[in-house]
Amino acid sequence: EEKVKRIDSATDKARAREKDSDRLKVEENVFDVPTLKILYTLSNKGIIKAMGGAISTGKEANVFYAEGDEKELAIKIYRMASSTFKAMDAYIMKDPRFTNIRNNRRDIIFAWTRKELQNLKRSKSAGVRVPEPIVAEKNVLIMEFMGEEKKPYPLLKNTPLEDDEAKLVYNKIVEYMHLLYKEANLVHADLSEYNILIDPADKTPVFIDMGQSVTLEHPNAREFLYRDVLNVLRFFGRYGITDKPEELLSKIQAE
Ligand SMILES: N#C/C(=C\c1ccncc1)C(=O)NCc1ccccc1
């Protein structure tokens, strides 16, 4: 009995250490001194009241919950040590809005963050449901928190849906893709069940992650749109949606 107890406590301790190191890993990688200075400045401006935990962690960015002045915030921090900044190249260097930036990591990541703010603004004014963009400062993007009581809305990927509910969600996503294209002159360019949140109250979709979104002037805009179309049809096929890629494309590009 005594031996088993000892192992349990040792395991618990090891697990606790591992968890802390994970949390620390996220924090130490992301909260480098320049990023901390930006967060400090934003809290001095009264934009951030208190930082919360990580909502999403990835190789190119991390999203944290934060308390703002009157409302909850999501703070997206692009890693400066980001290994994918070369990939960012393909989207940003051919975007007519960003032709004049120097081709170095810092400038690309700062431009990318500004681009996400701009794309969210354009999407919002086009009538697409996205987090309300608030401010971009270097590699830090502050937006409205999409969730309740510190709990973010679930990803479409993790939202159980009946076939009839899925049809409504699909139609709303198609409407948003159409508005993005016709009103915002944008293609999401990374649309999938991983970048759509579902508001549990009314099952309306929320488009997130628009750093890579491009205007229709981008030479690869139609190719990115086609990829978004295939992603959406692949996911909704399981609910009996039978639209062909060309049919969905024409719905999106319709006058
Ligand atoms: N923006 C955003 C996101 C969520 C969010 C939730 C609630 N309110 C606003 C945004 C998000 O997870 N994006 C995907 C992502 C980003 C970084 C690393 C991994 C995955």
Side-chain angles (χ1 to χ4, degrees), residues 55-63 73-78 116 120 131 141 143-147 151-153 155 194-195 197 206 208-210:
I55 297 170
S56 310
T57 55
K59 57 187 182 315
E60 69 178 26
N62 297 295
V63 183
L73 305 172
I75 317 261
K76 187 169 185 179
I77 304 177
Y78 279 98
E116 183 157 9
L120 286 171
L141 172 66
M143 69 192 104
E144 170 193 4
F145 174 71
M146 306 308 283
K151 197 168 170 311
Y153 292 155
L155 292 175
Y194 292 89
N195 283 333
L197 303 178
V206 179
I208 55 171
D209 274 345
M210 300 193 68

Side-chain angles (χ1 to χ4, degrees), residues 10 12-22:
D12 288 350
K13 278 203 192 70
R15 192 173 295 121
R17 250 196 322 278
E18 194 266 325
K19 192 171 146 346
D20 279 355
S21 73
D22 265 4

Side-chain angles (χ1 to χ4, degrees), residues 170 173-187 215-229 243-255:
Y170 173 75
I173 288 170
V174 172
E175 182 194 334
Y176 286 168
M177 293 174 87
H178 173 71
L179 288 171
L180 266 189
Y181 189 88
K182 296 310 284 185
E183 304 305 322
N185 192 46
L186 282 176
V187 170
T215 63
L216 302 190
E217 286 70 36
H218 189 291
N220 306 87
R222 266 107 200 134
E223 175 196 323
F224 294 155
L225 175 63
Y226 197 72
R227 201 177 47 188
D228 287 352
V229 161
D243 276 3
K244 302 263 172 308
E246 283 57 41
E247 289 168 328
L248 177 48
L249 258 185
S250 56
K251 285 183 189 173
I252 293 165
Q253 296 173 321
E255 276 317 311

Side-chain angles (χ1 to χ4, degrees), residues 80-125:
M80 293 316 285
S82 157
S83 55
T84 59
F85 104 98
K86 279 323 275 171
M88 291 177 171
D89 237 29
Y91 294 89
I92 205 156
M93 296 319 264
K94 294 181 197 156
D95 185 317
R97 300 173 293 173
F98 294 89
T99 46
N100 61 340
I101 59 163
R102 283 194 308 282
N103 187 0
N104 69 66
R105 176 190 296 265
R106 216 177 103 92
D107 290 351
I108 287 182
I109 292 171
F110 291 0
W112 187 274
T113 310
R114 281 197 310 279
K115 188 152 89 74
E116 183 157 9
L117 181 89
Q118 273 179 19
N119 290 340
L120 286 171
K121 281 189 167 132
R122 286 169 75 142
S123 307
K124 185 117 193 138
S125 33

Side-chain angles (χ1 to χ4, degrees), residues 27-37 79-81 139:
E27 265 142 34
E28 96 198 352
N29 286 1
V30 155
F31 293 143
D32 55 10
V33 172
T35 302
L36 282 171
K37 279 186 184 157
R79 267 181 217 285
M80 293 316 285
N139 63 318

